[in-house]
Amino acid sequence: MIDLHTHSTASDGTLSPAALVRAAYRAGVRLLALSDHDTFDGIVEARETARDLGICLLPAVEVTTTLCGRTCHILAYFQDFGLVQRTAARLEELRRVRENRLVETCERLRKLGVDILPGDVRKVAGRAAIHRPHIARALMQQGFVTSTEEAFRRFLRDGGPAHVKFDSPDSREEIWRLREEGAYTSLAHAALDRFDETHIRTLAAQGLDAVEVYHSEHSPIDRQRMKAICERLDLGMTGGSDYHGDTGCRFCEDSSDSRGVPEIIGENFLKGVKRAMDLAPSVRKQHGVQS
Ligand code: AMP
Ligand code: MN
Ligand code: MN
Ligand code: MN
């Protein structure tokens, strides 16, 4: 089984990296990517567990970017652990942006009569950078809501009364950098975010490698539609559960086209990841960056 999209406590998941790898292994996953939001903090721990279990683990990251004024999540995959340093250092900056955003979100919540402190949320997040699900969990702990889902519906959803837009880099700029850094890039949950062929064409022109056709919340029709777009635009395909541990969504425990991630995806994906790494020196040269 293949799962190329998972989150641990290094971002907004609820399982530690080690526990996540063990749980994926138990679910039958043998090709796994840990793709926390904007950070690689979980990969050292995850790698040790993956080694012990003999599971193939790729370091990855789900980068928050902006496309046409909308939030656009780009998954970036790396051939090996030695390659992630540059990207990790660059993304560290976003942590501060997220911290400022937390303070602003708490102010908005206070105006709505919900008295929650940044410190309450930091306790939930531990060492991770702050994401909205942490705020939702803190709201639950303090009894303001009874579920994460309610927290999003009433306050935190996109455009909701306490949603502070995350000021993320433009997709063009981010893909440009990721290609220099040797990453293989894929548009996360394209159908779920209602990105259409025009958006995907734009991203492809910016250098995107693939689309996450097989996402756990993509219907069979979404998958067919996305697959056809990839074939037309000559893009690769990736797939994963987007597991966060607490959302009811499970690892991809199926390799069918309509529900899981087909095995053929893994082979082509690994070739693409290797190609991205091999091409990086010439991309850097093209961009005029010192190797
Ligand atoms: P942030 O990067 O802080 O804006 O948080 C984004 C994360 O919030 C996503 O990766 C999802 O895990 C979660 N999320 C976004 N919208 C919703 C929603 N409507 N319901 C539940 N979780 C959501
Ligand atoms: Mn998330
Ligand atoms: Mn996402
Ligand atoms: Mn995700």
Side-chain angles (χ1 to χ4, degrees):
M1 237 67 77
I2 298 169
D3 197 332
L4 304 175
H5 189 162
T6 62
H7 298 271
S8 74
T9 48
S11 66
D12 57 352
T14 57
L15 294 187
S16 70
L20 176 103
V21 175
R22 280 196 298 270
Y25 184 81
R26 279 198 303 274
V29 176
R30 294 297 177 267
L31 174 58
L32 174 71
L34 176 64
S35 58
D36 277 307
H37 298 284
D38 306 320
T39 186
F40 294 96
D41 285 356
I43 58 162
V44 173
E45 184 184 313
R47 176 173 54 167
E48 278 172 19
T49 313
R51 257 197 210 134
D52 293 346
L53 295 171
I55 176 172
C56 178
L57 173 79
L58 261 77
V61 66
E62 184 176 10
V63 191
T64 314
T65 75
T66 306
L67 173 69
C68 305
R70 286 166 54 185
T71 297
C72 170
H73 285 179
I74 308 258
L75 292 157
Y77 298 95
F78 296 81
Q79 169 85 10
D80 65 59
F81 293 78
L83 283 172
V84 308
Q85 303 308 332
R86 280 186 214 227
T87 313
R90 201 164 52 72
L91 294 176
E92 191 52 32
E93 176 67 14
L94 295 175
R95 192 176 268 273
R96 234 179 5 86
V97 180
R98 287 190 174 275
E99 180 60 31
N100 296 341
R101 179 179 180 237
L102 166 66
V103 173
E104 203 180 325
T105 306
C106 288
E107 271 166 25
R108 288 205 193 178
L109 284 166
R110 222 174 353 261
K111 283 185 192 143
L112 295 163
V114 177
D115 204 4
I116 193 143
L117 298 170
D120 299 328
V121 182
R122 281 188 209 110
K123 246 181 260 160
V124 173
R127 288 182 10 246
I130 308 289
H131 296 75
R132 278 183 282 165
H134 298 127
I135 305 173
R137 281 175 218 147
L139 288 172
M140 235 169 94
Q141 277 181 7
Q142 309 267 326
F144 290 111
V145 295
T146 55
S147 66
T148 305
E149 194 268 324
E150 187 191 345
F152 271 93
R153 188 167 34 79
R154 286 178 54 198
F155 305 113
L156 300 170
R157 70 189 144 77
D158 286 6
H163 175 226
V164 179
K165 202 173 169 300
F166 180 49
D167 195 14
S168 52
D170 190 71
S171 61
R172 174 186 296 279
E173 194 185 311
E174 189 57 39
I175 292 170
W176 178 277
R177 293 280 166 247
L178 287 168
R179 291 184 64 225
E180 287 171 5
E181 291 157 358
Y184 180 78
T185 54
S186 180
L187 172 64
H189 39 69
L192 212 59
D193 283 352
R194 295 177 201 280
F195 285 122
D196 58 23
E197 186 158 355
T198 313
H199 295 114
I200 297 172
R201 204 177 278 280
T202 303
L203 290 167
Q206 294 176 353
L208 185 83
D209 296 303
V211 172
E212 190 179 45
V213 171
Y214 303 97
H215 183 274
S216 56
E217 290 185 50
H218 280 179
S219 70
I221 291 169
D222 290 335
R223 289 157 188 247
Q224 275 170 21
R225 202 162 50 82
M226 287 297 149
K227 196 173 161 185
I229 293 175
C230 288
E231 282 165 0
R232 278 198 290 276
L233 301 180
D234 197 22
L235 287 168
M237 293 182 257
T238 68
S241 61
D242 209 353
Y243 185 79
H244 282 70
D246 67 342
T247 53
C249 142
R250 305 189 335 170
F251 293 102
C252 286
E253 295 179 14
D254 189 327
S255 52
S256 73
D257 219 60
S258 55
R259 290 183 35 210
V261 184
E263 290 297 322
I264 182 74
I265 291 299
E267 283 169 44
N268 294 335
F269 165 75
L270 289 172
K271 281 185 205 149
V273 172
K274 179 165 186 312
R275 198 177 331 112
M277 177 186 68
D278 291 342
L279 282 174
S282 65
V283 172
R284 287 199 290 273
K285 202 165 158 198
Q286 210 182 341
H287 294 181
V289 179
Q290 296 283 333
S291 269

